[in-house]
Amino acid sequence: MTLESPLIIAPAVAEALVANTPVVALESTVITHGLPYPQNVETAVAMEASVREGGALPATIAIIQGQIYVGLTPDQLEYLGTRHRDDVRKCSRRDLPLVLAQKMDGATTVAGTMIVAHLAGIQLFATGGIGGVHRGHPFDVSADLSELGRTPVTVVCSGAKSILDLPATREVLETNGVLVVGYGTDDLPAFFTRSSGLPVDVRLDTPTAVAQLIEARRALNLQSGTLVTVPVPSKWEMDADEMERIITQATAEADAQGIHGAAATPWLLGRVVELTNGRSLQANTALLRNNGLVAGQIAAALTS
Ligand code: PSU
Ligand code: MN
């Protein structure tokens, strides 16, 4: 028994990869488990547009009926965005073979998207936030952190939400050999806010400087990734004290209800939207678009 090739690369993406023109991968868990409909689909479309504005071709990655797609059609985006989240498996490294074998629908996390991007030959990937070490649960460590240590893809994001233990998350990244870059900042962003109060490993201010770092990592043949953190645009930054209150409340509720494992992050993200009366969605959308733009610019610098 043999499986068909698991990757279906959209024609435009395949052409760009052969021609060595810039491509940026995008994940799909943010669409199925991170944002509510219809903002999820609207934001996915807007993020693709900002990757183009930055000078690269977007390739959103997801699994539909056991086939991995690299580059989705508008119909496929709408399909995923309207499915109930319980019917779409959230896919990190461990889940990918299962979803293929059982021909399920799957949304790729940061970890899952890095694996597929690397298989397809895509070096850059943009998203909102990565997973990390959960507050009060030091053994609930997102698979994103180990994937960054073992797959050579550069992830452009706005750091991690402070639903996580950010100092512990930084330590695990260091252990895994992942350099944390601040793009135009000395401080590690905390998703809704521009600073977590923690430092980054290095500040870089231009797409060219990041591209040079990626080239150097490649020259060393290190099979690990790099994290480039971009603060939410100032206009959309949320109040740090308010977010801290809301996140403390949401994590306490999750603990009280026994919500853990793969369900923890999606539940907390949804609760934060409720507790901010939807205001956090605007910040979320703004930073996703901005990260798409920056990743597009870095991808363009990389191939030039
Ligand atoms: N953080 C966000 N938004 C998200 C996620 C994280 O602010 O949508 C998603 C990403 O796909 C990330 C995943 O890879 O959640 C991490 O889940 P876990 O903590 O279960 O590894
Ligand atoms: Mn987890």
Side-chain angles (χ1 to χ4, degrees):
M1 191 187 79
T2 51
L3 279 176
E4 320 157 44
S5 163
L7 289 196
I8 297 183
I9 303 185
V13 175
E15 259 171 53
L17 290 170
V18 169
N20 197 28
T21 56
V23 177
V24 171
L26 302 172
E27 64 151 303
S28 43
T29 296
V30 64
I31 303 171
T32 55
H33 294 70
L35 296 167
Y37 183 81
Q39 285 92 347
N40 57 353
V41 176
E42 287 164 11
T43 305
V45 170
M47 199 176 175
E48 291 197 351
S50 55
V51 169
R52 288 199 172 86
E53 201 185 318
L57 192 69
T60 303
I61 290 172
I63 302 153
I64 298 175
Q65 292 172 6
Q67 281 282 340
I68 303 178
Y69 289 86
V70 179
L72 298 182
T73 63
D75 283 352
Q76 289 175 322
L77 260 184
E78 183 74 20
Y79 168 77
L80 284 172
T82 50
R83 290 221 71 183
H84 192 281
R85 64 167 57 162
D86 294 347
D87 297 328
V88 184
R89 177 103 180 181
K90 182 181 152 193
C91 292
S92 287
R93 175 173 280 263
R94 68 163 183 193
D95 311 281
L96 288 171
L98 173 70
V99 168
L100 262 55
Q102 300 198 353
K103 304 207 182 309
M104 297 156 73
D105 289 339
T108 50
T109 62
V110 168
T113 307
M114 288 180 75
I115 292 171
V116 175
H118 182 52
L119 280 173
I122 302 172
Q123 299 191 65
L124 269 157
F125 158 32
T127 187
I130 60 162
V133 182
H134 278 273
R135 282 198 199 181
H137 300 272
F139 290 101
D140 185 351
V141 180
S142 175
D144 294 351
L145 304 185
S146 44
E147 205 57 51
L148 278 158
R150 67 194 289 182
T151 299
V153 168
T154 298
V155 179
V156 177
C157 70
S158 293
K161 286 198 176 76
S162 48
I163 56 174
L164 301 170
D165 179 338
L166 296 179
T169 299
R170 259 189 116 291
E171 294 294 341
V172 175
L173 285 167
E174 180 190 346
T175 303
N176 282 299
V178 182
L179 186 77
V180 179
V181 176
Y183 190 77
T185 181
D186 296 302
D187 291 357
L188 179 71
F191 199 87
F192 292 121
T193 54
R194 291 176 61 83
S195 173
S196 60
L198 300 168
V200 290
D201 296 324
V202 66
R203 171 184 179 144
L204 298 176
D205 290 319
T206 62
T208 306
V210 179
Q212 284 167 346
L213 179 73
I214 295 170
E215 298 287 5
R217 191 194 69 212
R218 199 163 51 185
L220 287 166
N221 199 25
L222 297 180
Q223 297 303 305
S224 48
T226 302
L227 196 64
V228 176
T229 60
V230 187
V232 56
S234 307
K235 183 176 168 208
W236 302 104
E237 184 176 29
M238 310 272 296
D239 181 74
D241 293 335
E242 183 197 6
M243 287 318 297
E244 183 55 36
R245 268 197 311 280
I246 284 173
I247 283 165
T248 304
Q249 180 183 337
T251 40
E253 288 174 359
D255 283 342
Q257 296 181 36
I259 293 158
H260 50 74
T265 299
W267 191 89
L268 288 167
L269 299 180
R271 191 68 184 121
V272 168
V273 173
E274 283 172 9
L275 292 171
T276 60
N277 296 314
R279 277 178 299 121
S280 66
L281 275 180
Q282 287 183 312
N284 207 335
T285 304
L287 68 84
L288 281 163
R289 294 178 63 149
N290 188 51
N291 295 349
L293 180 72
V294 170
Q297 291 167 342
I298 297 169
L302 202 57
T303 45
S304 61

